[in-house]
């Protein structure tokens, strides 16, 4: 699973070196395809060195690790890049305006909806989730607050599931579930830790938040997200798919690598996949242009306002006034907390970067930005192993190329 945290994005030079290795072995489908090259357009304010680093991070697609990539860099300098193919069967060039599964970047939209309701005093951050959902959240979780759901310090575990092989997961890709069923299954388990004492990034927190929005507003979560965020910002290519397993509109196909019984690998088209299990935590479909517009409006305070917006840039481990203690990160990681309300935080060569990554089978997507929007990065990479642990090496390369200090540049942020 792709995650954006301080321990994953390090120096630009190291990130760029990582992007060159570790690819999945190429499947036979690539025999008919060479690299398509990167179609790029650079604007004022971005150096030739940085433009070259961005190009290198996504060069040579389709390849064993990814079949396409769409990139937008904004702020003081602008760069646009498209590479790879729309699909392996036709081999035609990737669509620069394609829609894609945005994965866990959905959480930022969900957090924005919740924080708007906080600003309207319809939701309280310090009130328990059970007080809003008494028939769903059991007494064992009576102390979990809305804020702890937002920053993954609730202690609610993931819903248990039977171990499945990759083949079984693929065979069940069109299975549907409901958010209520996921919450009941998760909260039937004992807490992982006392609320507020640690941080564990899990979808279940945002599943509960989606249901809380529905309870408070009386409307479907999808409708509230559209009314409050998507429509006001003019995000015409962004939508919540609900029970639809197919991406509506133009999209580059996503592929997942699978092992063959006799050895070797093959790539299967996984563009169509049911998303009801991710719902308010990860089902959004979007484009790089829409995500760029969203992050710019969000950081400027045009989506969430005032004290509620401050929650998105407050890490629990650093906000002593809020918690009275330093909150550690995921159990056993030895790392401090890195997730706030809907965002995550990293330091790249001394530069503070806020953003969110996401991954669905066939698609790795995300955005990163400095708080003042002097540099923004939005991307979609059609990774062939998007749900693998750790961060996609192409994404690490893009992060270093966009925000790191690069050899040959005096100012690492130009």
């Amino acid at each position: 699973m792709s995650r954006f945290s301080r321990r994953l994005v390090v120096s630009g030079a190291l990130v760029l070196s990582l992007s060159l290795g570790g690819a999945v072995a190429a499947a036979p489908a690539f025999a008919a395809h060479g690299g398509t090259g990167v179609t790029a357009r650079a604007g004022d304010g971005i150096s030739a060195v940085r433009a070259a680093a961005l190009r290198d991070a996504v060069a040579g697609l389709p390849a064993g690790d990814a079949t396409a990539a769409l990139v937008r860099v904004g702020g003081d300098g602008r760069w646009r890049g498209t590479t790879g193919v729309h699909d392996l069967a036709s081999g035609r060039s990737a669509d620069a305006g394609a829609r894609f599964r945005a994965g866990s970047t959905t959480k930022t939209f969900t957090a924005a909806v919740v924080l708007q309701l906080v600003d309207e005093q319809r939701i309280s951050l310090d009130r328990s989730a059970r007080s809003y959902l008494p028939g769903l959240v059991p007494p064992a979780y009576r102390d979990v607050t809305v804020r702890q759901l937002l920053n993954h310090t609730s202690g609610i575990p993931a819903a248990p599931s039977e171990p499945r092989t990759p083949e079984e997961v693929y065979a069940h890709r069109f299975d549907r579930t409901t958010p209520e069923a996921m919450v009941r299954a998760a909260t039937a388990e004992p807490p992982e830790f006392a609320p507020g004492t640690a941080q564990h990034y899990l979808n279940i927190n945002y599943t509960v938040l989606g249901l809380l929005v529905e309870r408070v507003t009386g409307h479907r979560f999808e409708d509230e997200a559209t009314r409050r965020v998507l429509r006001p910002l003019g995000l015409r290519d962004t939508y919540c798919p609900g029970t639809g397993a197919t991406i509506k509109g133009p999209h580059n196909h996503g592929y997942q690598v699978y092992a063959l019984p006799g050895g070797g690998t093959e790539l299967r088209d996984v563009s169509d996949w049911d998303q009801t299990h991710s719902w308010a935590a990860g089902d959004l479909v979007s484009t790089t242009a829409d995500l760029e517009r969203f992050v710019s409006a969000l950081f400027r305070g045009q989506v969430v306002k005032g004290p509620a917006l401050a929650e998105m840039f407050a890490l629990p481990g650093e906000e002593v006034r809020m918690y009275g203690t330093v909150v550690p990160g995921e159990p056993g990681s030895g790392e401090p907390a890195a997730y706030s309300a809907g965002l995550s935080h990293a330091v790249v060569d001394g530069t503070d970067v806020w953003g969110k990554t996401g991954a669905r089978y066939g698609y790795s997507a995300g955005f990163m930005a400095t708080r003042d929007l002097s540099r923004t990065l939005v991307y979609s990479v059609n990774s062939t192993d998007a749900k693998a642990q750790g961060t996609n090496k192409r994404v690490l390369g893009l992060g270093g190329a966009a925000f790191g200090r690069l050899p040959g540049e005096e100012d690492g942020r130009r």
Side-chain angles (χ1 to χ4, degrees):
M1 176 181 294
S2 178
R3 295 184 184 174
F4 173 48
S5 67
R6 65 183 69 198
R7 65 181 180 276
L8 293 178
V9 182
V10 284
S11 76
L14 176 57
V15 168
L16 288 170
S17 71
L18 285 173
S19 72
L20 302 178
V24 177
F30 293 112
H33 299 285
T36 62
V38 181
T39 301
R41 178 166 53 89
D44 294 338
I46 192 163
S47 71
V49 170
R50 195 166 299 280
L54 289 164
R55 183 187 294 269
D56 289 347
V58 292
L61 301 186
D65 62 329
T67 58
L70 314 174
V71 184
R72 296 173 73 93
V73 173
D76 294 342
R78 304 186 70 81
W79 188 86
R80 305 285 183 267
T82 304
T83 185
V85 294
H86 170 270
D87 65 278
L88 292 175
S90 71
R92 65 185 176 90
S93 297
D95 180 354
R99 296 175 177 179
F100 49 81
R101 300 198 186 280
S104 285
T105 63
T106 305
K107 292 182 178 68
T108 313
F109 289 77
T110 301
V113 172
V114 172
L115 291 171
Q116 283 186 8
L117 291 165
V118 169
D119 187 56
E120 295 166 13
Q121 298 185 348
R122 299 173 68 183
I123 290 177
S124 170
L125 290 169
D126 296 314
R127 187 173 165 183
S128 72
R130 178 172 162 78
S131 68
Y132 293 102
L133 300 166
L136 187 62
V137 178
Y141 293 94
R142 65 169 60 89
D143 295 329
V144 171
T145 67
V146 174
R147 178 181 279 116
Q148 289 161 349
L149 293 171
L150 282 165
N151 63 25
H152 302 281
T153 61
S154 71
I156 301 176
S161 60
E162 295 181 4
R164 285 180 171 174
T165 66
E167 290 292 337
E168 289 172 331
V169 172
Y170 181 77
H172 289 271
R173 66 192 183 280
F174 297 121
D175 288 0
R176 290 181 182 175
T177 187
T178 66
E180 292 86 355
M182 289 188 289
V183 173
R184 288 192 181 96
T187 56
E189 301 294 312
E192 281 194 307
F193 47 81
T197 63
Q199 185 177 79
H200 190 182
Y201 176 91
L202 290 172
N203 282 354
I204 194 64
N205 294 294
Y206 278 70
T207 302
V208 177
L209 288 169
L211 291 169
L212 193 153
V213 168
E214 293 193 334
R215 178 62 59 87
V216 168
T217 64
H219 303 138
R220 294 191 324 144
F221 170 77
E222 295 89 338
D223 295 337
E224 281 296 302
T226 300
R227 183 178 72 84
R228 290 174 170 275
V229 181
L230 307 187
R231 190 176 298 136
L233 294 183
L235 307 183
R236 296 181 178 86
D237 291 309
T238 302
Y239 72 96
C240 305
T243 57
T246 300
I247 301 174
K248 296 186 294 186
H251 59 280
N252 300 319
H253 288 224
Y255 296 87
Q256 173 66 31
V257 64
Y258 288 89
L260 293 171
T265 60
E266 68 174 356
L267 289 177
R268 297 180 192 168
D269 192 323
V270 291
S271 307
D272 296 346
W273 200 294
D274 181 86
Q275 301 298 315
T276 55
H277 62 288
S278 56
W279 194 50
D283 74 350
L284 208 67
V285 171
S286 191
T287 63
T288 53
D290 274 7
L291 285 183
E292 185 178 62
R293 178 177 293 188
F294 170 70
V295 68
S296 295
L298 180 72
F299 281 38
R300 290 190 178 106
Q302 296 169 352
V303 182
V304 179
K305 298 178 174 62
L309 178 61
E311 295 288 331
M312 304 192 86
F313 298 95
L315 294 175
E318 296 171 356
E319 293 298 305
V320 176
R321 71 177 187 278
M322 290 165 52
Y323 295 89
T325 185
V326 173
V327 177
E330 296 191 10
S333 71
E335 298 287 341
Y339 297 94
S340 62
L343 294 175
S344 49
H345 175 257
V347 179
V348 184
D349 285 342
T351 297
D352 285 287
V353 181
W354 295 87
K356 191 72 190 72
T357 61
R360 297 287 95 198
Y361 286 102
Y363 300 90
S364 296
F367 63 84
M368 308 174 192
T370 56
R371 180 66 184 88
D372 62 1
L373 295 174
S374 60
R375 177 60 43 81
T376 65
L377 166 68
V378 177
Y379 65 87
S380 168
V381 175
N382 290 67
S383 170
T384 60
D385 199 9
K387 299 295 287 181
Q389 291 296 315
T391 299
N392 179 280
K393 290 180 174 58
R394 300 278 180 175
V395 174
L396 287 173
L398 287 169
F403 298 99
R405 293 192 181 94
L406 305 181
E409 274 199 341
E410 293 182 5
D411 180 357
R413 296 238 329 260
R414 290 190 62 192

